[in-house]
Amino acid sequence: GDINDDEMLNVLDIVAMVNYILEGQEAANFNECQVVAADYNQDDEVNVLDIVGAVTSILNPRTIADDANSAKLIRNGDALNLKVDGFVSAVQMTLHHDADFSIELTKDAMVADYRTGSNETTLIIVVPESEELFTAIGDYEITEVLVANSEGEMDVAIAPAEFALGTAYPNPFNPTTQFKLDIAEDGYTTVNVYNL
């Protein structure tokens, strides 16, 4: 994990790992020894799980009981929020979007950075300290997401981005009234009709 070879594992090494993941080996100017150091969990791939291992070492001692067990991404207007029930070490996400897309990452994190190439943005947020991960202008689709606690990758639920509530019929004052709820999720629309 000591990428800059200063005999300490600290946030400078985390920043170097983030740059490597976002930029690649050549753009980040990593030599082979630095690549080996960046692969903290030694799985032959440098990703946010390596950052998690390094962060856990830096923040130790911390009890595993503080770790989040569940995570849910929720769009709230222009913001994307992460609802968790405990500590999250890092988030890595890839977004697909149009050319007029812009993003501003949270400032409440150990490290938060992103790179955009054509219609795709990859972002990494290390130790987010607020629910809001970013605000964005323009439409986007989350194509990949990895959320990790100190133990590793967690399952993530993504709340539907769109929903619509139909009008009550025949009217809301009848003994039985129906309304329709449409929820768009994962490219499918679920239509539920409810009786009151």
Side-chain angles (χ1 to χ4, degrees), residues 74-75 159-166 180-185 189-190:
I74 302 169
R75 288 190 196 189
E162 298 177 20
F163 66 91
L165 182 60
K180 185 169 72 171
L181 176 64
D182 297 334
I183 301 172
E185 190 169 9
T189 301
T190 303

Side-chain angles (χ1 to χ4, degrees), residues 15-150:
V15 170
M17 286 179 182
V18 168
N19 286 333
Y20 177 88
I21 294 167
L22 295 177
E23 299 286 343
Q25 181 175 350
E26 288 181 22
N29 294 321
F30 271 39
N31 61 39
E32 288 303 316
C33 291
Q34 288 171 310
V35 172
V36 170
D39 186 13
Y40 193 85
N41 63 6
Q42 299 176 346
D43 66 353
D44 295 326
E45 184 178 357
V46 179
N47 61 23
V48 76
L49 296 177
D50 298 298
I51 293 171
V52 167
V55 166
T56 301
S57 293
I58 292 168
L59 297 181
N60 202 23
R62 199 184 55 67
T63 62
I64 299 302
D66 294 343
D67 271 348
N69 294 310
S70 66
K72 185 172 191 174
L73 291 171
I74 302 169
R75 288 190 196 189
N76 185 7
D78 292 342
L80 182 69
N81 295 331
L82 177 65
K83 294 273 191 181
V84 292
D85 60 354
F87 177 77
V88 170
S89 292
V91 177
Q92 181 175 329
M93 192 179 306
T94 302
L95 309 173
H96 183 76
H97 49 76
D98 294 332
D100 62 348
F101 176 81
S102 66
I103 189 169
E104 184 174 331
L105 298 182
T106 181
K107 306 258 187 267
D108 296 329
M110 180 185 282
V111 177
D113 203 357
Y114 72 94
R115 295 294 182 273
T116 299
S118 61
N119 292 1
E120 193 170 87
T121 296
T122 300
L123 62 95
I124 296 175
I125 301 171
V126 180
V127 190
E129 294 178 8
S130 67
E131 286 184 356
E132 185 176 289
L133 297 177
F134 63 80
T135 56
I137 297 173
D139 292 332
Y140 64 90
E141 177 186 348
I142 300 169
T143 57
E144 292 179 13
V145 64
L146 195 156
V147 177
N149 60 22
S150 67

